[in-house]
Amino acid sequence: FVLINVSYLNVLDSPSLTMGRGITTIFGPSGSGKTAIRKLLNRMISPSTGQLFFNGTELRQTNPVQHRRKVVMLSQNPVMFEGSIGDNLNAPNIFQKRPLLDESLLCSALETVRLGKDPATPVNLLSGGEKQRLALARVILLQPEVYLLDEPSSSLDDASAEAVVETLCLKARKENRPVIMVTHSKAIARKYSDVIITIAGGKSIGQELCSGRDN
């Protein structure tokens, strides 16, 4: 992603920013403008002024639905559908009228996120942390070009949050897929990031390299 003099209403006013390969974290307190950046990257909103590019193409020229299939977001409160774990993992295929995934792929994804459950397990029996891991498995099965994490630690205990973030970051590094993580947790930002972009008052006030690249 490349942002050039992007602003959004009175919430965000950012000079040029570049988010490349590796793990990039957008860090800042509540109300700092992190949510606006996340929505801009996922094309849920468009800049009031300025330009936002993804792989060299200005986002206004892209199809929003197709873009979101490339840049897939794991939200802090993931949507769960009625039915089983398997139904939830297959939900994107069901909506897009594609063949259902083989159960072996579902079990492999669950193993990756350390969710030791049978795909037939009803989703309403899962805890909040287990639902977050299930949502992560669903995102992994989509094989996006970019993973976008929205406040992964906000609704989980520290151990669950770290497990979710660590699992995805390790997999993304192995597959050379970029991760952009929006968080207010400085501990998670410093532990897993290659680059931290600090946001305050809707403006980028710093960009630093971190030791997370060695994890």
Side-chain angles (χ1 to χ4, degrees), residues 67-202:
H67 176 72
R68 289 178 201 133
R69 290 175 182 168
K70 296 177 181 178
V71 182
V72 176
M73 184 178 69
L74 177 64
S75 68
Q76 55 182 295
N77 296 303
V79 174
M80 292 287 115
F81 304 99
E82 290 186 11
S84 67
I85 287 175
D87 294 333
N88 274 266
L89 291 176
N90 266 308
N93 294 65
I94 293 171
F95 294 147
Q96 296 172 34
K97 298 182 179 180
R98 298 185 304 185
L100 299 182
L101 298 172
D102 187 83
E103 186 166 327
S104 62
L105 290 176
L106 304 185
C107 291
S108 177
L110 293 174
E111 183 179 344
T112 297
V113 300
R114 306 172 198 173
L115 182 57
K117 300 286 185 179
D118 188 292
T121 303
V123 73
N124 61 1
L125 298 181
L126 301 183
S127 68
E130 289 171 335
K131 289 178 180 178
Q132 189 80 347
R133 293 184 190 217
L134 172 56
L136 173 57
R138 188 167 59 198
V139 167
I140 287 172
L141 286 168
L142 290 171
Q143 296 186 314
E145 293 182 22
V146 179
Y147 292 105
L148 181 57
L149 303 187
D150 178 28
E151 295 286 9
S153 61
S154 64
S155 59
L156 300 175
D157 59 79
D158 291 344
S160 295
E162 287 231 7
V164 167
V165 173
E166 181 178 24
T167 298
L168 183 53
C169 287
L170 288 173
K171 183 171 180 60
R173 289 186 194 282
K174 183 178 180 180
E175 299 176 348
N176 195 31
R177 297 178 194 266
V179 174
I180 299 174
M181 180 165 49
V182 177
T183 185
H184 64 268
S185 171
K186 197 158 193 175
I188 283 182
R190 288 198 173 279
K191 184 170 183 179
Y192 295 104
S193 305
D194 294 310
V195 177
I196 296 177
I197 297 171
T198 302
I199 300 290

